[in-house]
Amino acid sequence: MNKKKLEKEIESASKRIQERQLHIETEINELSSNIKKYTNWAWIFVWIGAAVSLFALLFYLCKNTESGFGLNLLGDFMAGTVASIWSLAGLFFIYVAFLGQKQQLLNQQLEIMYSQLEVKYTRLELAGQKEEMAIQNSTLKQQKTENTFFQLLANHNSIVNSLDLLSTGSNGREVLAQGRDCFVQFHKRFERKFSQKKSLYGIEEVLMKYNEFFNENVSDLGHYFRNLYHIIKFIDQSDIENKKRYTNFVRAQLSSGELAIIFYNCLSDYGNKKFKPLIERYSLLKNRDQGLLLNVDHEGEYEKEAFE
């Protein structure tokens, strides 16, 4: 039962208890008045019976020899008068006890209603605590996911920064490019695969050339693409809210050279089945440089969402 429903039940129960309490208090006051009245009547008859008994006893003691008022006559008199008066007093006491029980039942009824209301308040408090715990758990889960994500992103940047391309010259082996600058060189290596005008090549032939290029640079690009794919996959499979916000973080880290290589990698056998749907779902090619594509028409191989 949700919190709002409990609040409505408590409000309804409170109104019902207030109305019932006024009615019960009126009944209890009437019962108290009747108990006091009938108790007084009962004691009046008790004292009348006691007075009659005392009078009869004194009469017996004082007039016994003169009037012939014997003990048997005293007993008959007491049975006929005092016993009847005290029986009537006992009847009043029984009725008073009945009224007292009724009064007690009304008080118990009111206590039960308040107990039920207290239970509802307890349930409301527990529901609030449960809601707070759910929010805390959700926050902790969000923080845990975010921490993992940023660790993966930092690890990816570390992989990119560790890239270096060497060239062999007259002075021996020299560093040609480092970090993200390597993707400028990767793109040039890929373009050198095409001897004729690049726009003349169909997508099948371009992808065949890309496979050759990838195999030649697999030691650098293999690790790069596996890590990048798992970052996007981690976001996609997580319960985190607003997933595009986090994929935008990743996209902001990608250079134009990287996006150009990612473009053809995800059309090739290396990323077509698994990585390409994620590229389209999270618009990771939005900031691509069309001038770095071999043919702008190749964008038709992607769903339009990849660029939106």
Side-chain angles (χ1 to χ4, degrees):
M1 186 178 295
N2 57 41
K3 192 175 178 180
K4 290 184 178 179
K5 189 174 181 180
L6 278 171
E7 289 175 348
K8 289 182 180 179
E9 285 190 6
I10 289 173
E11 184 179 357
S12 176
S14 298
K15 290 180 180 179
R16 188 170 62 251
I17 288 174
Q18 289 176 355
E19 294 173 357
R20 183 60 181 158
Q21 183 176 8
L22 292 174
H23 181 68
I24 289 176
E25 286 178 350
T26 302
E27 287 189 32
I28 289 175
N29 291 333
E30 290 178 359
L31 289 172
S32 297
S33 177
N34 288 335
I35 288 172
K36 184 178 180 180
K37 180 175 68 174
Y38 288 111
T39 300
N40 291 335
W41 275 109
W43 281 111
I44 288 172
F45 283 114
V46 168
W47 289 113
I48 289 174
V52 171
S53 298
L54 182 60
F55 173 77
L57 183 60
L58 292 174
F59 185 82
Y60 170 75
L61 294 174
C62 297
K63 302 294 183 177
N64 183 30
T65 55
E66 298 178 2
S67 61
F69 188 76
L71 188 61
N72 58 336
L73 293 176
L74 177 62
D76 291 340
F77 177 77
M78 296 283 282
T81 56
V82 177
S84 298
I85 294 172
W86 280 356
S87 295
L88 183 59
L91 185 62
F92 277 116
F93 278 124
I94 292 172
Y95 185 61
V96 167
F98 169 74
L99 294 178
Q101 287 183 339
K102 187 175 181 181
Q103 189 180 46
Q104 187 177 5
L105 288 174
L106 288 172
N107 283 322
Q108 288 178 350
Q109 183 180 357
L110 192 60
E111 287 177 4
I112 290 172
M113 293 178 70
Y114 275 111
S115 296
Q116 291 175 342
L117 183 62
E118 187 177 353
V119 169
K120 290 184 183 293
Y121 272 112
T122 302
R123 291 171 63 189
L124 179 63
E125 185 177 354
L126 291 173
Q129 291 176 354
K130 184 177 180 181
E131 187 175 317
E132 288 179 4
M133 289 181 64
I135 293 173
Q136 289 176 355
N137 289 337
S138 177
T139 302
L140 290 173
K141 192 172 183 179
Q142 182 96 354
Q143 290 176 347
K144 183 179 179 180
T145 304
E146 286 183 353
N147 290 338
T148 304
F149 165 73
F150 285 111
Q151 287 175 2
L152 290 172
L153 192 60
N155 182 56
H156 181 71
N157 287 330
S158 177
I159 291 173
V160 173
N161 293 332
S162 66
L163 291 174
D164 58 2
L165 296 179
L166 303 177
S167 63
T168 304
S170 58
N171 297 326
R173 296 177 66 83
E174 298 178 351
V175 176
L176 181 62
Q178 286 183 322
R180 282 192 161 80
D181 292 339
C182 292
F183 284 90
V184 176
Q185 299 301 321
F186 285 141
H187 188 266
K188 290 179 179 179
R189 289 181 182 182
F190 180 44
E191 285 190 321
R192 285 198 290 269
K193 294 281 183 183
F194 303 92
S195 56
Q196 301 180 30
K197 190 176 180 180
K198 293 179 291 185
S199 59
L200 297 177
Y201 291 87
I203 189 63
E204 292 83 3
E205 192 170 359
V206 168
L207 293 180
M208 288 178 60
K209 297 289 186 182
Y210 178 82
N211 289 340
E212 294 177 7
F213 159 76
F214 184 85
N215 289 328
E216 292 170 359
N217 299 276
V218 67
S219 59
D220 291 318
L221 295 179
H223 191 195
Y224 172 86
F225 280 115
R226 282 194 300 272
N227 193 71
L228 182 60
Y229 165 72
H230 282 294
I231 292 176
I232 305 301
K233 181 182 177 183
F234 170 78
I235 298 171
D236 183 64
Q237 293 182 347
S238 70
D239 296 328
I240 203 167
E241 296 180 1
N242 194 4
K243 296 180 180 181
K244 276 201 171 184
R245 176 172 176 262
Y246 296 91
T247 57
N248 288 345
F249 279 126
V250 178
R251 188 178 65 198
Q253 308 292 315
L254 303 176
S255 64
S256 298
E258 287 176 88
L259 289 173
I261 299 300
I262 291 171
F263 182 96
Y264 288 105
N265 182 82
C266 291
L267 292 178
S268 71
D269 294 337
Y270 299 107
N272 184 55
K273 292 183 179 180
K274 295 182 178 181
F275 203 178
K276 182 174 177 286
L278 296 177
I279 293 289
E280 293 168 338
R281 186 175 304 159
Y282 296 107
S283 307
L284 291 180
L285 295 176
K286 178 181 178 181
N287 298 328
R288 84 281 183 201
D289 184 352
Q290 290 183 326
L292 296 179
L293 302 181
L294 299 178
N295 190 334
V296 177
D297 293 339
H298 293 165
E299 289 185 353
E301 299 296 321
Y302 282 93
E303 297 292 336
K304 63 180 181 179
E305 288 79 8
F307 312 107
E308 292 181 350

